[in-house]
Amino acid sequence: MANAALAAPPLEPGVSRELARWRAKAYGDVRYDLALAVRVPVTKLEGRLELRVAVRGKPVDLVLDWRPPPGGRLAAVEVNGTAIERPRIVHEHLVIPARIVRTGDNVVRLALESPVATAGTAVTLYRDREDGSEYVYSLFVPSDASTVFPCFDQPDLKARFTLALEVPRAWEAVSNAGVIDTAVDGATKRLAFRPTEPISTYLFAFAAGPFEILDEREDGVAPQPEARLFVRKSRLTRAKREAYEVLMLHRRAVDWFAGYFGFPFPFPKHDLVLVPEFPYGGMEHAGATFLREDSVLFPSAPAAADRLRRAQLLFHETSHQWFGDLVTMRWFDDLWLKEGFANLMAAKATAAITPEYGAWNAFHQLKVSAYRTDATQGTTPIWQRLPNLSAAKSAYGNIVYSKAPAVLRQAEFYLGAEAFQRAVQGFVHSHAYGAADWGDLVRAFEGASGRKLDAWAGAWVKRRGMPVVRTTLRTGSDGRIARLALAQTPALGGDDVWPMRTELLVAGEGAPRTTPVALEGRTATVPELAGAPAPRYIFANHGDYAYGRFVLDDASRAAVLADVGGIADPFLRALLLDTLWDEVRDARLAPLTYIDLALAQAPRETEELTVASLVGRTQTALRWYLSEAQRAQAAPRVEAAFVAGMTDAADIGQRITYFRAFVGTATTAEARATLKALLAGTREVPGAALSSRDRFRIIERLLALRDPEAEALLAAQSQADRSDNGRRYAYAAAAARPDAEAKQRVFAGWLEDPALAESWIEESLAPFNTVEHQPATVLLVAPALRELPKLKRERKIFFVNNWLAAFLGGQTSPEALTTAKRFLRETKLDPDLRRKVLEQLDGLERTVRIRRKYG
Ligand SMILES: [Zn+2]
């Protein structure tokens, strides 16, 4: 290209899209050479950065992102050998003036200091109370690397990182690349890592501490790419029991993805680092995936759903090594690309590697969470305009994690599996070690399928909302189908259409018939079925390839209600049970009717995931949707069914599922006695010993119910388990104290105690907002909403979503709804936060509507 060297765009805090675009043109060939030291007790990192960057064309300002937390410092800044006495900082950028910048290579050297704390810093300290050890780990996604060192904190300016870490002698350390050299000098150890492949700043990471390392070596030989499991010292014994399965699943996933993408594992090694209290399931740092320890080392006896979630987490993060790390989104507006692919690939890998887990049933549950957002006024397109990276955290949510994979699955069905895979392989090859956007993917789809996809992409990528698809059937006097048609309307109103392909199921006498239907416009008829016998029911999303709400017509709904238990295909059964639940949510089917159906069906159900859904919905219906009087009547029946399930279900996973549901639902005096008997060991869940977390959960419920023995039980269990996890569970359980004063105290602690780990707050949000505690919690709805801007600024991604889901999800009254709506009316709120509130408010609106109609 010609000279890119127009001046930098006007600077603002964060990284603006304009700045990112300009820098991607003006700069290239970036290298970060970081030498950092960590000393115990850990309070900070200190060290040096040497940054190399090539300037294309005429010299321009070097604009680095630099937004240090309190205590973060730069010193001895030097550019191309010239010392800079007073570095210029403009709106969170370190600006090196063009006059000392050269065309071609430039070198910036500086010394830095960056604080490390248990919360609020991008490098987090974890103190293990079990043995007094300290661990540190970085987490820079989406743009927090620039809080530790000056950098170009945007995904498409990839760089090679060369890290050297100085740590206490007994420590291990892990980063994106392998260690090339270790030197011990007295009490310290210096680890030099190899330079990485070109990676984005948000994918650069390190962790250090007295880790233990488990690997797959047999007779000294490790399979390639080498994979090791890092675990804190105090959890070694526990980790040893799981390491084989985890590393084996990982190995099989690596092989499967290499085959699917037609591209070998893109980095020289892949370490899996278990991080205690990691803020979410995992983060796919190139070559060094960080995983939440609790998600891998089960805190309670696992149900099949827990094993499934763990496998999917491993597969999700591993697939990111290709989709995300090897090929990276150009900008975080395309976050959906990497997350959509990771969740779709996780499902595909699950289906291939662990078919017993019911991958597509789980994938359907994921889609349900997308529908829960996409039918609300708070929804966004999967592609989300993002003028500044400072708002990137808000993009994380159901639309990106659940709708995007569903849209990609529909794309696969729409284009054909072969064309889809060919396109994906081409996309990965063309953009390897670089960046791409959704347009590149659509062009790859078009190339592989030979179809024009503007309308398709416009509807699915750039537009928010979802279609509601209805079937209409006209039968002739001969009792045969005269006309069968599908019609779509947008859930949020208007007249948009989503081009789609679906599979229609028509069930009547004999085996059900399925027919593919292309619904490119508002309506489509299905002429192939004219003349066929009139069906008992019609379901327009057989196989679950399409995305939308597929409504049963009245006759079909009645037939499905009657027939669903006898349907032999477990996946179809699960889909139809879900569709009936949608009818409850739309206030067209009484929650009590669903409870009856679920209690009758669950004991006959073979699929553990379906049992979990039925049991979960029974809980929702009972605790949220019924009136007091209805609940008092239904509770003994539900409790008895759950107790029977946890004692008598043939399958251990099902017994665990029922047990958890029982603990969460118990209300009657008899149920409380059963909970205490479980604690005392006079009753049991056959085959599943109670873990400490189970015990805390039981106590939490007893506290929530004002059981007179609850406080003593909590004190005893807190004494019995002084581990870090135990202390966190105890803190969360205590948040279930029902009185208003206790709630106020916990709430104030969340806002004011800087040492309180985010993981503790998150663990306590649900017990705090126990739906039975509304008299106390409704008073905190407005104060909780007022915290949103601060939470968005200071907390990790997902926190705002979890906060809102807990506070609004804990309410069922018109009064709470009014409070939240008034807040929206009277408060000036960033649009992304407003959408998040609207998204969560939808559930409360539905609850109010259902209770009004059926309560
Ligand atoms: Zn992901």
Side-chain angles (χ1 to χ4, degrees):
M1 67 182 295
N3 199 346
L6 298 167
L11 296 181
E12 58 183 73
V15 182
S16 72
R17 182 80 178 101
E18 287 68 38
L19 176 64
R21 282 209 177 114
W22 177 79
R23 287 198 302 210
K25 285 188 186 133
Y27 313 151
D29 202 5
V30 184
R31 285 157 191 268
Y32 300 96
D33 212 323
L34 268 169
L36 299 173
V38 190
R39 300 195 175 84
V40 285
V42 180
T43 56
K44 63 182 178 186
L45 292 172
E46 40 187 340
R48 299 194 54 81
L49 166 69
E50 184 177 292
L51 158 71
R52 286 167 190 275
V53 53
V55 169
R56 298 169 173 148
K58 242 171 36 190
V60 286
D61 288 354
L62 279 183
V63 181
L64 289 147
D65 307 321
W66 173 236
R67 27 185 215 102
R73 258 199 301 276
L74 297 184
V77 180
E78 182 199 295
V79 180
N80 297 329
T82 305
I84 302 194
E85 292 306 324
R86 263 183 298 168
R88 198 169 147 236
I89 309 286
V90 184
H91 293 310
E92 306 182 345
H93 304 282
L94 167 62
V95 182
I96 313 287
R99 61 184 161 73
I100 52 170
V101 173
R102 302 189 290 233
T103 299
D105 283 342
N106 291 271
V107 187
V108 179
R109 293 195 180 86
L110 52 85
L112 64 91
E113 230 177 81
S114 187
V116 177
T118 49
T121 47
V123 178
T124 300
L125 165 67
Y126 177 78
R127 218 174 257 124
D128 186 339
R129 282 168 208 268
E130 276 150 78
D131 60 6
S133 302
E134 296 192 318
Y135 296 82
V136 295
Y137 68 92
S138 68
L139 183 58
F140 294 148
V141 67
S143 57
D144 284 351
S146 51
T147 65
V148 175
F149 59 96
C151 57
F152 306 114
D153 217 351
Q154 64 187 68
D156 60 341
L157 257 178
K158 290 194 172 183
R160 289 184 192 272
F161 288 80
T162 309
L163 175 68
L165 277 180
E166 191 183 304
V167 295
R169 183 184 181 136
W171 282 24
E172 300 288 345
V174 57
S175 184
N176 307 89
V179 171
I180 195 171
D181 187 45
T182 308
V184 175
D185 177 7
T188 62
K189 186 192 232 175
R190 277 189 201 83
L191 298 130
F193 294 86
R194 290 171 200 281
T196 65
E197 311 292 323
I199 58 173
S200 311
T201 45
Y202 83 94
L203 293 169
F204 168 61
F206 56 87
F211 281 108
E212 296 283 352
I213 303 172
L214 300 164
D215 64 26
E216 299 170 287
R217 251 164 233 278
E218 268 178 42
D219 307 324
V221 182
Q224 293 302 311
E226 193 175 354
R228 300 173 300 168
L229 187 67
F230 282 65
V231 62
R232 62 178 154 132
K233 211 167 47 178
S234 64
R235 303 289 273 165
L236 177 63
T237 314
R238 180 76 185 76
K240 275 185 173 164
R241 292 208 297 273
E242 308 287 343
Y244 173 77
E245 185 177 334
V246 169
L247 289 168
M248 183 268 294
L249 284 174
H250 167 261
R251 177 64 48 196
R252 295 188 62 187
V254 164
D255 293 344
W256 196 86
F257 291 131
Y260 188 89
F261 290 124
F263 198 104
F265 189 85
F267 303 99
K269 57 94 184 171
H270 190 205
D271 290 318
L272 306 173
V273 184
L274 303 190
V275 180
E277 300 184 11
F278 196 65
Y280 26 90
M283 179 58 210
E284 71 275 17
H285 305 119
T289 288
F290 290 5
L291 299 164
R292 194 205 316 241
E293 186 186 277
D294 266 0
S295 304
V296 177
L297 309 181
F298 302 120
S300 299
D306 300 310
R307 293 190 178 281
L308 164 75
R309 265 194 293 278
R310 179 169 77 179
Q312 289 194 314
L313 173 65
L314 279 168
F315 299 164
H316 174 112
E317 304 303 348
T318 302
S319 79
H320 268 318
Q321 298 291 321
W322 285 265
F323 231 107
D325 299 2
L326 171 65
V327 181
T328 308
M329 69 224 156
R330 209 177 289 291
W331 187 241
F332 273 83
D333 52 5
D334 268 329
L335 183 64
W336 75 273
L337 266 185
K338 76 177 181 84
E339 297 310 336
F341 265 99
N343 271 344
L344 177 65
M345 289 301 138
K348 282 179 172 292
T350 306
I353 297 167
T354 51
E356 67 277 16
Y357 287 155
W360 296 114
N361 197 346
F363 191 76
H364 174 69
Q365 295 304 330
L366 186 76
K367 290 172 70 171
V368 167
S369 63
Y371 301 148
R372 294 295 177 261
T373 298
D374 219 9
T376 76
Q377 290 296 342
T379 195
T380 64
I382 56 176
W383 178 88
Q384 298 180 52
R385 183 178 305 283
L386 183 70
N388 192 299
L389 270 192
S390 60
K393 281 187 225 173
S394 293
Y396 290 76
N398 287 340
I399 291 304
V400 153
Y401 281 86
S402 308
K403 181 175 180 179
V407 166
L408 289 168
R409 174 129 165 101
Q410 163 65 191
E412 185 184 30
F413 192 64
Y414 193 74
L415 303 173
E418 240 178 81
F420 182 84
Q421 186 179 359
R422 229 178 16 252
V424 170
Q425 291 191 346
F427 179 82
V428 167
H429 276 271
S430 329
H431 304 286
Y433 304 104
D437 60 33
W438 68 274
D440 297 315
L441 181 69
V442 171
R443 275 188 290 283
F445 283 159
E446 290 184 331
S449 67
R451 296 170 64 171
K452 281 301 285 172
L453 294 172
D454 320 18
W456 182 89
W460 290 108
V461 178
K462 297 289 286 275
R463 191 197 299 148
R464 70 177 204 150
M466 62 188 245
V468 178
V469 179
R470 292 187 170 79
T471 49
T472 51
L473 171 70
R474 211 176 64 230
T475 38
S477 51
D478 56 355
R480 295 184 167 266
I481 296 177
R483 184 174 182 276
L484 178 56
L486 301 188
Q488 59 166 311
T489 50
L492 293 170
D495 48 19
D496 293 323
V497 296
W498 284 263
M500 71 173 93
R501 220 170 145 238
T502 186
E503 200 167 274
L504 187 76
L505 174 117
V506 175
E509 304 290 306
R513 227 176 119 171
T514 60
T515 313
V517 181
L519 181 57
E520 299 282 350
R522 210 172 311 286
T523 59
T525 53
V526 192
E528 341 30 337
L529 289 176
R536 236 180 105 63
Y537 65 86
I538 303 166
F539 177 53
N541 195 15
H542 182 253
D544 198 32
Y545 301 108
Y547 178 88
R549 165 98 163 86
F550 292 82
V551 184
L552 297 169
D553 63 76
D554 289 347
S556 293
R557 189 180 55 188
V560 168
L561 253 178
D563 295 0
V564 67
I567 292 171
D569 173 357
F571 187 35
L572 176 60
R573 206 163 59 228
L575 294 177
L576 289 172
L577 286 165
D578 260 9
T579 306
L580 290 174
W581 179 245
D582 282 333
E583 296 285 305
V584 176
R585 288 180 30 90
D586 286 351
R588 279 201 301 262
L589 185 67
L592 268 173
T593 308
Y594 199 92
I595 290 179
D596 289 337
L597 172 72
L599 293 185
Q601 180 57 26
R604 298 193 286 171
E605 191 50 64
T606 51
E607 300 275 296
E608 194 179 313
L609 284 184
T610 306
V611 172
S613 302
L614 288 170
V615 164
R617 290 179 201 137
T618 301
Q619 266 184 292
T620 304
L622 181 77
R623 294 179 62 205
W624 274 265
Y625 295 166
L626 297 190
S627 68
E628 293 287 329
Q630 289 171 322
R631 185 159 49 247
Q633 234 188 1
R637 200 151 50 91
V638 172
E639 288 170 355
F642 287 0
V643 168
M646 80 182 191
T647 319
D648 305 334
D651 177 87
I652 175 70
Q654 290 199 17
R655 291 197 296 275
I656 292 169
T657 301
Y658 279 111
F659 160 70
R660 291 180 191 164
F662 175 68
V663 174
T665 319
T667 29
T668 62
E670 196 188 333
R672 277 192 284 127
T674 306
L675 288 178
K676 283 186 263 188
L678 283 162
L679 282 178
T682 52
R683 285 200 71 139
E684 56 166 13
V685 181
L690 288 197
S691 69
S692 179
R693 186 168 80 159
D694 295 328
R695 304 182 77 85
F696 275 113
R697 287 268 162 91
I698 292 174
I699 294 164
E700 172 187 312
R701 187 66 189 157
L702 290 170
L703 263 181
L705 296 169
R706 302 175 188 274
D707 186 277
E709 292 168 53
E711 288 290 350
L713 289 166
L714 177 61
Q717 183 60 26
S718 306
Q719 201 53 46
D721 184 355
R722 304 287 302 155
S723 72
D724 277 15
N725 285 348
R727 289 159 35 86
R728 188 168 84 250
Y729 303 149
Y731 175 82
R737 289 192 180 112
D739 58 286
E741 231 172 87
K743 298 285 185 205
Q744 294 281 4
R745 253 196 325 273
V746 173
F747 191 77
W750 287 345
L751 304 187
E752 287 154 25
D753 181 356
L756 190 58
E758 218 169 280
S759 57
W760 285 39
I761 304 178
E762 296 213 89
E763 187 99 19
S764 57
L765 282 172
F768 182 91
N769 286 288
T770 300
V771 70
E772 289 86 355
H773 296 170
Q774 289 181 68
T777 54
V778 73
L779 306 172
L780 292 165
V781 167
L785 293 174
R786 282 199 289 273
E787 289 302 313
L788 291 174
K790 185 160 184 269
L791 299 177
K792 171 182 158 186
R793 223 167 33 242
E794 294 176 2
R795 296 295 177 180
K796 300 224 156 62
I797 49 183
F798 298 114
F799 187 90
V800 163
N801 305 25
N802 297 340
W803 177 268
L804 276 169
F807 273 95
L808 294 177
Q811 307 298 320
T812 63
S813 70
E815 181 196 351
L817 185 58
T818 309
T819 304
K821 284 189 166 168
R822 188 185 316 125
F823 171 82
L824 279 182
R825 248 192 342 269
E826 294 173 357
T827 314
K828 193 169 153 16
L829 207 56
D830 291 348
D832 54 339
L833 285 177
R834 178 169 296 271
R835 280 196 298 271
K836 300 248 175 231
V837 178
L838 286 169
E839 173 186 347
Q840 295 298 338
L841 211 53
D842 181 77
L844 177 54
E845 280 182 317
R846 285 173 191 270
T847 303
V848 168
R849 202 176 309 135
I850 294 166
R851 289 167 68 96
R852 193 176 293 140
K853 180 160 175 190
Y854 297 105

